[in-house]
Amino acid sequence: MQPFPERMWDVIARTQSTTGLTKGFVSLKELQLRLSGGPNWCAGNVEIYYFGGWEKVCGYLWDMQDAEVVCRQLGCGFPLTTTHSFSSSNWYPYMITEVNCTGYESYVWQCPYTYQYRVCHHGDASVVCSEPAAFRWTATRPWNTTANNSCGGLLHGLSGTIQSPGYPNSYPDNSYCVWRIHLRDPARRIQLQFTDVELEGSSCTYDAIEVYDGGSPQSWRLGLVCRNDHRVFNSSGNQLTVLFRSDGSVTRRGFHAYYSSFLAFNSTVAPTTVSAASENYSCGGLLSSSSGTLQSPFYPRNYPNNANCVWEIQVKSNFLVTLVFTDIQMEGGRCLSDYVEIYDGPLQTSPLLGKICSGYYRTYTSTSNLLTVRFHSNSRYTYRGFQANYYSTPADDSTTLLCLPDYMHVVVSRYFLQYHGYSAWNLTLNDPSCTPNITSNYVTFDIPYTQCGTVREGNNNTISYSNVIRGSSSGTLITRNRNLHLHVNCKMLQNTWAQTMYVANDNFEVNETQYERYAVNLTFYDSSSFSRPVYDSPYYVGINQNLYLEAFLHSSDPLLQLFLDTCVASPTPHNFTTGSYTIIENGCVKDPTYVKYSSPRRNILRFKFNAFQFIRSNPEVYLQCELVVCRAYDYSSRCYQGCVRRSKREASSDEESCLKAAMAGQSGDPQVRPLAQSRSKENKLLKTVSIWTSLATSSSFPIDATTKDPPRSKLSTTSDATISLVNGRNRCEGRVEISDSAGRGTVCDDGWDLNDAQVVCRQLGCGSALSATSNAFFGQGSGNIYLDDVRCTGSESSLFQCGHNGWGVHNCGHSEDAGVVCSAATDTAATTPITAISTPSDATISLVNGRNRCEGRIEISHSGGRGTICDDDWDLNDAQVVCRQLGCGSALSATSNAFFGQGSGNIYLDDVRCTGSESSLFQCGHNGWGVHNCGHSEDAGVVCSGSSTISLVNGRNRCEGRVEISHSGDRGTVCDDGWDLNDAQVVCRQLGCGSALSATSNAFFGQGSGNIYLDDVRCTGSESSLFQCGHNGWGVHNCGHSEDAGVVCSAATDTAATSPITAISTPSDATISLVNGRNRCEGRVEISHSGDRGTVCDDGWDLNDAQVVCRQLGCGSALSATSNAFFGQGSGNIYLDDVRCTGSESSLFQCGHNGWGVHNCGHHEDAGVVCSALLCLSTHMHAVVDRHYLQSHGYSVGSISLADPTCRPVITSTEVIFNISYSSCGTSRQGNNKTITYSNVIKVPAPGTVIKRQKDLHLHINCKMLENTWVQVMYIADDITDVNKTQYGRYEVNLMFYNSSSFQWPVHDYPYYVDMNQNLFLQASLHSSDRNLTLFVDTCVASPNSSDFRTLVYELSKNGCANDSTYSLYPSPRSDVARFGFNAFSFVNRFPSVFLRCELAVCRYRDYASRCYQGCVSRFKRNADSSHEKVNVVIGPVKLREAHAENRNTELDFQAKGETPSSEHAASSHIPLAVTTVVLVAAALTLGGFLWKQKQQEAIPYQKL
């Protein structure tokens, strides 16, 4: 590839600065560009007029970057497609091909290309631009306008940010924003970098960002942005314009960009010693696009001190890389301090092309598809740094080599062979039986890495596969050509497939080098069975949900091992250093939820952790994982070192590092699609856990990490010390142990390497060292640690001749014990196949540390000692044999990692391999009695079904319902993942319930409680027990009780036809209470009946049943339904069993059950309840939160607060108590139709400082007045548990008689004796702390009977209208007081007592649409949308005074005649005359409206005398 001929560049130089731009046509003196064959001048085939004639451009390698330059040059907007076919001009030649623009050029002839006359087999290069109207449209809109959004403006600062309206929330439709960056210093230039872009689509058709090199959208457009590819733009002057536009439909997150300024290249910049290290930055990485830009950190600002950045530029195979430095300014001189190095291939293993620190337009070209750039700065002065552009050009296509995951793909041109005198039919490999595919143009070999004579070799950091293609001359009798040898090599160099082909022993050499990567996929799975990958994108997961990941190495080489070294999480995809959270580092587990799973093959790695969310951050979580690929059984490699806590000298071994990243979602409720690998020195694949899925790369490499060893000193050891290797397969491998007179001890692995191991192997006569192991690879020793920081040269004859810190001087633990594998060990191993090996005849097994004899850690007793089994390859087949041997039924789970605690003593068995059919564990294959490479942290265990039973609950009978498992006194359920009719068939057979009719899911028979024992059950349908079916493992699941599985068996329908389950009668005197709790609203459910007390069995007991109990007792909502005698065992009868409430009943005795006193339980199964506690009082809300409830969910009592944190609770040893005023403490007041609501929120933040695995707890407190009822509600929003609390209260209204219209002296007499037609004065007062309420008298009705206001009544007023001529209203001093009066009367032919019932309305003050402001309503009115409540009050009796009777109201009646009060009056004067609210029960809010009932209340009669 070459630039245009010299004369063309001369024309450009002469005309470029003076020629103007015209739409659709650019005319230079000798160069023109047009699009032909299309519908307009902005669509068609690309043609260039060059010195008198039009020439066509070939479509070979033509892409959108080339098209972007054409559309920009023609003023036609941006490219839409390059694949449209237009009619071609047959009379023009193809003179230009392989155009390779970066997309930033101003003219297409500035792009690299190939210029020669040839036939084009790829058709014309074409483009469809966004049309000329796009350019005119931006020109006709004012540059500073906006579509009803605040955006755009003039920016003068030397740096700043630009972002879309509302960022990071969605931008509005029809946005049009223009930012003009105008620097006052004309010598400065502007660099704009987009840090985040998410717009509608990726073609820039709908929403886009346009960048112009000048002060308005009429300037030259530099580019168009609509994808998150981190584009960087540089201005040619001191002005830059950014235009953002969106259409009228879909919107996205928008964009964020950062701009900075720098002096022009010919300006002088003074150095600075201020380091930018305080700023976070990242540099280096993989650049895999065909062209791009790289620059020093903070460019064009000064780069930081002590920077070490490495970029690997890898383009497509069989292309070369050209790198051009456009600007470089560093600490000068001989490039000893700050510099840039360019390598022709991978770092440190490739030739150095150049080392620069100044100059302009330096150009370097690689000989392969990989070029490495390294930038280094010291700790002194810093300058502007550098910027460079790169692009790719095709290499010679005579030979092509691709290193694919499973084979090498080699293509040799027949023209190349024939030109040099070789026959295509004479080409062979090392193995001549592997023949090529020969076509008319090419000879193609697909060479497996493990066949066809391919040789596999390894040296330091390299795994190499090589073969030779041999060819002979085409002559028949004589030849003057040498034989042709094409050497084919695929090498893994620093995690890079190095592809080489060269011709040896020939008259010329052809050298080709290409680079690829190990193909490693990192994929989410939905369960620990790793049977179903997650394809959703994004992958939304719940907080604290189990996330299962599998890394898979794609390679046909079976002798490769995969190891997970490090996983780091970050809230952003571009920064894994600040604000990050480490899950595992250097093989050391940092996160307590991390679990490694066994894998079926070496090239598969499985692990899990629990989802979390970063505190004070977006819910997205990005995961970056570094994986290492090693040769199998290379014990000196990283894959066999485990957790490395200290820096160690690097062993010479073959290992490669791959970085993968997965995004772990929206938390709230966090996604992932099978992800393609990314290519980098350390492959990083980014997925989101919101998990938003994206693909990104990032890498960093240690540079100059060399250190000097401390001086070696030989320190004395005890003369009787000897060494040996223990816990290996034979005497030549194992943990290094030293014996002396003081006992036995070990060696610390600090600095332990192959030199040290070599000395140990020589000392023991075990050949040469194969591996120096660390991290107690052969198990932890005990006793002393005799040596640390051992420093052998490798030539010593004894370990005690090597330098070390001193005898017994160390800073280690036995988790760092060193070990060795010598060459003699492998010889021994080769002759000792692993088969079933005899065990001592007295060996027996048992399970310990479980809840019963059928679960626990496996222990073997032998000759008076006890030992354990290692969990390597321990699976359900092995566990099945143990359960059978112990008579404990079927295996439910095979546990590992010392699940039941670490044992002690010997480890007798390792790598146990049972088929599952053996009758004894000792019949299974294993490594040999006492032969292992484990520690007790890997002790194996088992959970057997034992006495576990299953039953069906919450159905109509025993043959249908939710599947429940009883195990060791606990009850649990089965998750419905994968639950089908085969599984249900086994359950029905096991229970003797016929065949399965249905396998229900989604808690069809109600949600259970307690454990979830089984998930992903996989029955064939032929098993006799559910416990014989496959599953994920006992207690291993990713479900909630909303996914409880159920069954309907055929026997259920027969029973149901004759025995409908309905509410069964109970004794009328039965009552319930809660005992043994901390208050009356929690405890064991007890039933009192005929003087006896009894309990309720917990079979089928769930939250619906508990809800009814809490409602019946007036204790709010149910928080928990407890079982297994959680509040202690009761005594006496068990009255109810298999209770089946729907949750809507008002009494437990209305629920279905087996029958009074019918049960199959004991008191260890007594049911209990924990209810909420919330009261809506007249002046405040009284909320009680259980401390145990908070602590059991992981919340701290000390951090609980209200919306107003100044209102603090009272915290006791058991409860947190809030008294929340209606008018303060942040309480909000709202009203709608017939409702006045007071709300507050009790907040408890989730625990954690950096991340959290729980959501913040919000207890929403609501007191509502619904139909004369305070409705009290408490619920938890957006949490793992929903708790809804509903209680009922009343407005407190007093109604009292007064002795005159002045309303100064209330009447306290009871009864109130009055005269016929006497004036009676009444006042109603509302007691509430809310001063924004008003009171209105709606209706008053009189009756001679206090309990009957229907048969005989007299209406004083109705619906605010006076029906009695003497009825009148009086003015009130406050809105919460109502006054009225009427004249006394009596009912004809009745007793003289009169009872009065008044209905009053409570409304919001000055709510003129409410009942209180409507006055007399004589006709029916549609209910206004307003807030008012009605309160019924009964008062009386009022009695007429007989003619001879004395006045009994002397103290209060102004008409008194002076009589003294009687003793009767004195005795009764302490009784207040009236006032209570009628309790109208009810208030359940439904879709149909408000349903309410009136509760009977005892009336206080008023009587007329």
Side-chain angles (χ1 to χ4, degrees):
M1 185 169 284
Q2 60 196 33
F4 279 79
E6 186 62 29
R7 55 180 177 160
M8 183 178 290
W9 284 111
D10 290 340
V11 173
I12 295 172
R14 291 195 304 270
T15 62
Q16 203 167 25
S17 60
T18 59
T19 304
L21 175 69
T22 61
K23 297 181 180 63
F25 198 80
V26 174
S27 177
L28 297 176
K29 185 179 255 184
E30 298 291 341
L31 288 171
Q32 298 175 8
L33 171 68
R34 73 181 182 187
L35 299 178
S36 68
N40 54 55
W41 65 83
C42 288
N45 297 323
V46 181
E47 295 180 357
I48 296 177
Y49 186 84
Y50 174 49
F51 284 97
W54 287 100
E55 297 174 357
K56 295 189 292 185
V57 177
C58 181
Y60 180 55
L61 300 180
W62 183 260
D63 58 20
M64 289 290 282
Q65 290 170 318
D66 309 318
E68 184 164 333
V69 177
V70 171
C71 292
R72 181 191 304 116
Q73 185 172 346
L74 294 175
C76 288
F78 51 91
L80 300 178
T81 180
T82 59
T83 60
H84 198 282
S85 178
F86 299 99
S87 58
S88 177
S89 303
N90 293 327
W91 50 85
Y92 297 133
Y94 290 98
M95 302 295 291
I96 301 169
T97 185
E98 298 177 15
V99 178
N100 189 21
C101 302
T102 65
Y104 305 114
E105 294 87 351
S106 300
Y107 301 94
V108 71
W109 36 77
Q110 292 176 335
C111 303
Y113 79 110
T114 296
Y115 187 83
Q116 67 180 69
Y117 189 91
R118 62 186 296 179
V119 176
C120 177
H121 298 289
H122 297 81
D124 291 29
S126 65
V127 61
V128 177
C129 302
S130 62
E131 74 180 340
F135 195 87
R136 292 197 301 271
W137 174 70
T138 59
T140 57
R141 297 283 294 270
W143 69 268
N144 58 351
T145 60
T146 177
N148 299 322
N149 296 291
S150 176
C151 60
L154 184 61
L155 304 173
H156 290 298
L158 295 180
S159 63
T161 59
I162 298 173
Q163 60 189 30
S164 53
Y167 179 89
N169 299 317
S170 297
Y171 52 81
D173 292 327
N174 302 310
S175 295
Y176 187 87
C177 313
V178 179
W179 292 267
R180 180 187 174 197
I181 306 172
H182 186 181
L183 305 181
R184 293 184 174 88
D185 184 356
R188 300 194 76 84
R189 303 294 180 260
I190 303 166
Q191 182 179 77
L192 177 70
Q193 181 169 8
F194 287 89
T195 58
D196 184 23
V197 178
E198 182 184 80
L199 306 182
E200 180 188 5
S202 59
S203 63
C204 301
T205 305
Y206 310 108
D207 306 338
I209 309 159
E210 300 173 18
V211 183
Y212 296 91
D213 188 16
S216 75
Q218 285 73 48
S219 307
W220 184 259
R221 194 172 73 184
L222 294 177
L224 196 67
V225 178
C226 56
R227 297 186 298 272
N228 199 20
D229 49 7
H230 305 286
R231 294 279 294 277
V232 178
F233 298 93
N234 292 316
S235 69
S236 61
N238 64 328
Q239 296 188 73
L240 193 75
T241 300
V242 181
L243 185 150
F244 169 65
R245 55 179 169 84
S246 67
D247 63 8
S249 58
V250 181
T251 65
R252 294 286 189 267
R253 184 171 67 242
F255 75 92
H256 182 277
Y258 173 83
Y259 79 90
S260 58
S261 62
F262 59 97
L263 290 172
F265 294 156
N266 57 359
S267 300
T268 302
V269 179
T272 177
T273 58
V274 178
S275 172
S278 58
E279 296 186 52
N280 295 320
Y281 72 92
S282 61
C283 61
L286 172 69
L287 304 175
S288 57
S289 58
S290 60
S291 61
T293 302
L294 59 152
Q295 59 193 21
S296 53
F298 308 128
Y299 178 87
R301 294 186 294 146
N302 286 30
Y303 51 80
N305 290 324
N306 301 311
N308 275 305
C309 311
V310 177
W311 292 266
E312 279 190 333
I313 306 171
Q314 179 188 333
V315 297
K316 293 186 293 185
S317 295
N318 302 296
F319 277 71
L320 308 179
V321 182
T322 299
L323 181 69
V324 180
F325 284 85
T326 57
D327 179 29
I328 182 166
Q329 185 185 66
M330 300 182 184
E331 187 175 355
R334 294 175 293 169
C335 299
L336 299 177
S337 302
D338 303 344
Y339 52 82
V340 178
E341 294 176 332
I342 304 94
Y343 290 88
D344 187 17
L347 183 69
Q348 297 174 344
T349 60
S350 303
L352 180 66
L353 296 179
K355 183 176 182 179
I356 60 176
C357 54
S358 62
Y360 300 101
Y361 298 100
R362 299 281 189 96
T363 302
Y364 301 90
T365 302
S366 67
T367 60
S368 70
N369 68 326
L370 181 65
L371 189 78
T372 302
V373 181
R374 178 195 175 198
F375 167 62
H376 170 80
S377 68
N378 66 4
S379 59
R380 297 184 63 195
Y381 301 110
T382 68
Y383 289 79
R384 185 173 66 243
F386 76 92
Q387 184 180 61
N389 297 322
Y390 74 91
Y391 58 87
S392 59
T393 58
D396 178 27
D397 59 358
S398 59
T399 56
T400 303
L401 171 63
L402 292 175
C403 293
L404 302 177
D406 297 323
Y407 58 89
M408 297 179 279
H409 179 75
V410 184
V411 179
V412 183
S413 168
R414 291 193 66 175
Y415 173 79
F416 165 80
L417 293 172
Q418 292 163 1
Y419 181 83
H420 291 94
Y422 297 100
S423 170
W425 302 98
N426 293 339
L427 294 185
T428 61
L429 289 172
N430 285 342
D431 181 352
S433 63
C434 296
T435 58
N437 179 35
I438 302 177
T439 67
S440 59
N441 295 317
Y442 301 104
V443 180
T444 304
F445 285 90
D446 289 329
I447 310 172
Y449 294 128
T450 55
Q451 302 173 32
C452 297
T454 301
V455 178
R456 178 180 183 271
E457 297 177 308
N459 52 37
N460 188 31
N461 291 325
T462 302
I463 299 174
S464 176
Y465 302 92
S466 55
N467 213 312
V468 180
I469 300 174
R470 293 178 169 87
S472 60
S473 171
S474 57
T476 57
L477 183 61
I478 68 169
T479 180
R480 286 193 169 91
N481 280 348
R482 298 180 181 180
N483 290 333
L484 176 69
H485 285 184
L486 290 170
H487 292 261
V488 180
N489 296 283
C490 283
K491 297 181 180 180
M492 183 61 119
L493 298 171
Q494 294 288 339
N495 191 38
T496 302
W497 280 104
Q499 309 171 359
T500 64
M501 177 186 290
Y502 62 91
V503 181
N505 198 26
D506 195 17
N507 58 352
F508 66 92
E509 287 191 0
V510 178
N511 292 283
E512 294 191 4
T513 303
Q514 306 300 324
Y515 296 89
E516 287 296 336
R517 303 290 189 277
Y518 274 127
V520 179
N521 282 350
L522 186 60
T523 305
F524 283 103
Y525 282 77
D526 66 353
S527 71
S528 60
S529 66
F530 292 92
S531 57
R532 290 187 298 270
V534 176
Y535 294 111
D536 295 335
S537 179
Y539 181 21
Y540 289 96
V541 303
I543 200 162
N544 209 33
Q545 174 182 327
N546 290 329
L547 302 180
Y548 303 95
L549 293 101
E550 177 180 273
F552 181 81
L553 170 64
H554 294 272
S555 175
S556 62
D557 185 357
L559 295 176
L560 294 179
Q561 176 82 40
L562 198 59
F563 174 75
L564 179 63
D565 184 89
T566 298
C567 271
V568 179
S570 170
T572 65
H574 310 300
N575 185 355
F576 284 88
T577 55
T578 58
S580 61
Y581 175 72
T582 302
I583 296 173
I584 182 172
E585 182 178 32
N586 298 325
C588 306
V589 176
K590 303 295 184 182
D591 181 85
T593 68
Y594 174 89
V595 175
K596 180 184 176 183
Y597 288 88
S598 59
S599 304
R601 296 192 302 277
R602 279 185 290 267
N603 63 329
I604 293 177
L605 187 145
R606 292 170 172 174
F607 63 98
K608 79 97 177 173
F609 62 94
N610 288 11
F612 56 83
Q613 177 184 343
F614 282 91
I615 296 174
R616 294 181 294 276
S617 182
N618 290 330
E620 294 87 3
V621 176
Y622 296 81
L623 183 67
Q624 175 177 287
C625 294
E626 180 179 353
L627 299 106
V628 182
V629 181
C630 314
R631 288 186 298 169
Y633 307 115
D634 180 359
Y635 296 107
S636 64
S637 68
R638 179 68 189 93
C639 297
Y640 291 87
Q641 292 175 352
C643 169
V644 179
R645 290 190 172 87
R646 289 182 173 86
S647 175
K648 305 189 179 188
R649 284 181 289 173
E650 183 172 337
S652 175
S653 179
D654 305 330
E655 61 188 58
E656 315 306 334
S657 174
C658 303
L659 273 177
K660 288 283 183 189
M663 278 189 291
Q666 291 264 16
S667 261
D669 289 309
Q671 48 190 311
V672 86
R673 181 179 297 282
L675 299 172
Q677 78 182 67
S678 68
R679 298 177 174 182
S680 75
K681 179 178 176 66
E682 296 175 323
N683 287 349
K684 299 180 180 177
L685 182 62
L686 292 181
K687 297 179 185 177
T688 61
V689 159
S690 296
I691 302 175
W692 293 103
T693 304
S694 68
L695 186 63
T697 60
S698 173
S699 54
S700 59
F701 310 97
I703 307 298
D704 290 342
T706 58
T707 58
K708 294 183 179 180
D709 283 342
R712 300 175 183 265
S713 58
K714 297 182 180 179
L715 303 174
S716 62
T717 59
T718 58
S719 58
D720 61 341
T722 61
I723 64 170
S724 60
L725 301 178
V726 301
N727 260 26
R729 294 171 295 178
N730 50 59
R731 77 175 192 88
C732 290
E733 72 172 30
R735 179 176 67 249
V736 180
E737 288 219 346
I738 299 176
S739 300
D740 77 340
S741 56
R744 298 182 68 86
T746 61
V747 177
C748 181
D749 62 7
D750 290 351
W752 186 256
D753 60 16
L754 215 59
N755 286 335
D756 310 319
Q758 183 65 43
V759 174
V760 171
C761 293
R762 178 184 300 114
Q763 184 174 354
L764 294 174
C766 286
S768 58
L770 298 180
S771 175
T773 69
S774 57
N775 296 301
F777 181 83
F778 289 102
Q780 295 186 26
S782 59
N784 298 314
I785 298 177
Y786 285 123
L787 301 179
D788 188 14
D789 289 311
V790 176
R791 296 177 294 280
C792 299
T793 64
S795 60
E796 296 86 352
S797 59
S798 168
L799 188 68
F800 305 128
Q801 295 173 359
C802 303
H804 53 81
N805 287 350
W807 187 255
V809 178
H810 68 88
N811 60 347
C812 308
H814 283 293
S815 61
E816 300 169 81
D817 284 347
V820 165
V821 178
C822 304
S823 59
T826 57
D827 300 335
T828 306
T831 61
T832 310
I834 298 180
T835 59
I837 302 170
S838 62
T839 57
S841 58
D842 64 339
T844 60
I845 64 170
S846 60
L847 302 178
V848 302
N849 261 27
R851 293 169 295 181
N852 53 59
R853 76 173 194 89
C854 290
E855 71 174 34
R857 180 178 67 251
I858 302 174
E859 291 221 341
I860 299 177
S861 299
H862 162 57
S863 299
R866 297 183 70 87
T868 62
I869 296 178
C870 181
D871 63 6
D872 291 348
D873 291 328
W874 184 255
D875 59 19
L876 214 59
N877 286 335
D878 310 320
Q880 185 65 43
V881 174
V882 171
C883 294
R884 179 183 298 115
Q885 184 174 352
L886 294 175
C888 285
S890 303
L892 298 177
S893 177
T895 69
S896 57
N897 297 308
F899 182 85
F900 290 101
Q902 295 187 26
S904 59
N906 298 313
I907 297 177
Y908 285 124
L909 300 180
D910 189 14
D911 288 311
V912 176
R913 291 175 299 284
C914 300
T915 64
S917 60
E918 297 85 353
S919 59
S920 168
L921 188 69
F922 304 128
Q923 296 172 359
C924 302
H926 52 81
N927 287 352
W929 184 256
V931 178
H932 67 90
N933 61 347
C934 307
H936 283 293
S937 61
E938 300 170 81
D939 284 346
V942 163
V943 177
C944 305
S945 61
S947 58
S948 297
T949 60
I950 64 170
S951 59
L952 301 178
V953 301
N954 259 27
R956 295 168 297 175
N957 50 59
R958 76 174 192 89
C959 289
E960 74 172 29
R962 180 176 67 250
V963 180
E964 289 220 344
I965 298 176
S966 298
H967 175 68
S968 298
D970 293 331
R971 296 184 69 86
T973 62
V974 178
C975 180
D976 62 7
D977 291 349
W979 185 255
D980 58 20
L981 215 58
N982 285 337
D983 310 318
Q985 183 65 41
V986 175
V987 172
C988 293
R989 178 184 299 114
Q990 186 173 353
L991 295 175
C993 286
S995 58
L997 299 179
S998 175
T1000 69
S1001 57
N1002 296 307
F1004 182 84
F1005 289 101
Q1007 296 186 26
S1009 59
N1011 299 311
I1012 298 178
Y1013 285 123
L1014 300 180
D1015 188 14
D1016 288 309
V1017 176
R1018 297 177 294 279
C1019 300
T1020 64
S1022 60
E1023 297 85 353
S1024 59
S1025 168
L1026 188 68
F1027 304 126
Q1028 297 173 358
C1029 301
H1031 51 79
N1032 287 352
W1034 186 254
V1036 178
H1037 67 90
N1038 61 347
C1039 308
H1041 283 294
S1042 60
E1043 301 170 81
D1044 284 346
V1047 165
V1048 178
C1049 304
S1050 59
T1053 57
D1054 302 333
T1055 307
T1058 58
S1059 305
I1061 303 289
T1062 58
I1064 302 173
S1065 62
T1066 56
S1068 58
D1069 64 340
T1071 60
I1072 65 170
S1073 60
L1074 300 178
V1075 301
N1076 260 24
R1078 291 163 297 178
N1079 52 59
R1080 74 173 195 88
C1081 290
E1082 72 172 33
R1084 180 178 65 249
V1085 181
E1086 290 220 343
I1087 299 176
S1088 299
H1089 162 57
S1090 300
D1092 293 330
R1093 296 182 71 85
T1095 61
V1096 176
C1097 181
D1098 63 6
D1099 291 348
W1101 185 255
D1102 59 19
L1103 213 59
N1104 286 337
D1105 309 320
Q1107 183 65 43
V1108 175
V1109 171
C1110 293
R1111 179 183 298 114
Q1112 185 174 354
L1113 294 175
C1115 285
S1117 297
L1119 295 178
S1120 175
T1122 68
S1123 57
N1124 297 305
F1126 182 84
F1127 290 101
Q1129 295 186 25
S1131 59
N1133 298 314
I1134 297 178
Y1135 285 123
L1136 300 180
D1137 189 14
D1138 288 310
V1139 176
R1140 293 176 295 280
C1141 300
T1142 65
S1144 60
E1145 297 86 352
S1146 58
S1147 169
L1148 187 69
F1149 306 128
Q1150 296 173 358
C1151 301
H1153 51 81
N1154 287 351
W1156 185 257
V1158 179
H1159 68 88
N1160 61 349
C1161 307
H1163 282 294
H1164 64 281
E1165 298 172 82
D1166 284 346
V1169 165
V1170 177
C1171 305
S1172 64
L1174 172 64
L1175 296 175
C1176 291
L1177 304 177
S1178 61
T1179 59
H1180 63 275
M1181 297 179 279
H1182 180 78
V1184 180
V1185 184
D1186 182 36
R1187 287 190 67 168
H1188 174 73
Y1189 172 79
L1190 293 174
Q1191 292 164 353
S1192 65
H1193 287 84
Y1195 295 100
S1196 170
V1197 174
S1199 58
I1200 193 169
S1201 66
L1202 288 174
D1204 181 354
T1206 61
C1207 296
R1208 300 300 302 164
V1210 176
I1211 301 177
T1212 69
S1213 60
T1214 59
E1215 296 172 332
V1216 180
I1217 303 170
F1218 284 91
N1219 290 315
I1220 309 169
S1221 172
Y1222 294 131
S1223 57
S1224 61
C1225 296
T1227 302
S1228 63
R1229 179 180 181 273
Q1230 294 176 313
N1232 51 38
N1233 188 28
K1234 292 192 175 183
T1235 303
I1236 298 175
T1237 303
Y1238 301 93
S1239 306
N1240 212 312
V1241 181
I1242 298 175
K1243 299 179 179 180
V1244 192
T1249 55
V1250 178
I1251 68 166
K1252 58 182 180 181
R1253 283 200 164 89
Q1254 290 177 267
K1255 299 180 181 179
D1256 294 340
L1257 178 66
H1258 284 185
L1259 292 165
H1260 292 257
I1261 309 295
N1262 296 287
C1263 284
K1264 298 180 180 179
M1265 182 62 117
L1266 298 173
E1267 290 290 346
N1268 188 40
T1269 303
W1270 277 105
V1271 179
Q1272 308 171 1
V1273 180
M1274 178 187 290
Y1275 64 91
I1276 299 177
D1278 196 26
D1279 193 29
I1280 52 174
T1281 307
D1282 252 350
V1283 179
N1284 295 281
K1285 299 185 178 182
T1286 303
Q1287 304 296 325
Y1288 300 92
R1290 273 85 186 157
Y1291 277 125
E1292 184 179 339
V1293 178
N1294 284 348
L1295 184 60
M1296 296 192 68
F1297 284 101
Y1298 281 76
N1299 69 345
S1300 72
S1301 59
S1302 67
F1303 292 93
Q1304 292 180 355
W1305 294 279
V1307 176
H1308 295 289
D1309 289 335
Y1310 182 84
Y1312 180 22
Y1313 290 94
V1314 299
D1315 293 321
M1316 183 69 76
N1317 207 32
Q1318 176 182 327
N1319 290 329
L1320 303 179
F1321 306 96
L1322 295 97
Q1323 175 175 291
S1325 301
L1326 171 65
H1327 293 272
S1328 173
S1329 62
D1330 186 358
R1331 297 306 179 191
N1332 290 314
L1333 298 176
T1334 190
L1335 200 59
F1336 174 74
V1337 181
D1338 183 89
T1339 298
C1340 275
V1341 179
S1343 170
N1345 189 337
S1346 63
S1347 60
D1348 183 4
F1349 283 88
R1350 291 189 180 91
T1351 305
L1352 180 63
V1353 296
Y1354 176 73
E1355 294 177 343
L1356 294 169
S1357 68
K1358 184 176 183 179
N1359 298 327
C1361 306
N1363 289 349
D1364 181 84
S1365 59
T1366 65
Y1367 180 87
S1368 60
L1369 297 175
Y1370 292 91
S1372 302
R1374 299 191 311 273
S1375 62
D1376 58 351
V1377 173
R1379 292 171 174 176
F1380 62 97
F1382 62 92
N1383 288 6
F1385 61 87
S1386 68
F1387 283 92
V1388 179
N1389 297 324
R1390 296 281 177 176
F1391 292 104
S1393 296
V1394 177
F1395 296 84
L1396 187 64
R1397 171 176 170 173
C1398 292
E1399 183 179 272
L1400 299 101
V1402 181
C1403 314
R1404 288 184 297 170
Y1405 183 56
R1406 292 184 177 175
D1407 181 1
Y1408 297 106
S1410 68
R1411 179 68 190 95
C1412 297
Y1413 292 88
Q1414 292 174 352
C1416 172
V1417 181
S1418 57
R1419 293 185 177 87
F1420 173 79
K1421 290 187 178 183
R1422 284 180 298 173
N1423 190 32
D1425 183 17
S1426 182
S1427 308
H1428 69 271
E1429 316 305 334
K1430 291 184 177 179
V1431 179
N1432 289 315
V1433 179
V1434 176
I1435 191 171
V1438 174
K1439 287 187 176 182
L1440 289 176
R1441 184 184 299 114
E1442 297 178 7
H1444 63 278
E1446 60 180 311
N1447 187 354
R1448 301 188 182 184
N1449 305 291
T1450 307
E1451 301 163 339
L1452 302 174
D1453 193 347
F1454 281 121
Q1455 300 178 16
K1457 305 299 183 182
E1459 298 90 343
T1460 58
S1462 68
S1463 60
E1464 177 187 357
H1465 170 74
S1468 63
S1469 62
H1470 301 288
I1471 300 176
L1473 182 56
V1475 180
T1476 73
T1477 4
V1478 173
V1479 179
L1480 291 184
V1481 173
L1485 181 59
T1486 67
L1487 292 177
F1490 297 107
L1491 302 179
W1492 61 279
K1493 298 178 182 179
Q1494 178 172 342
K1495 181 178 178 182
Q1496 186 70 29
Q1497 149 181 318
E1498 181 183 355
I1500 301 176
Y1502 96 76
Q1503 297 181 0
K1504 291 190 176 181
L1505 299 176

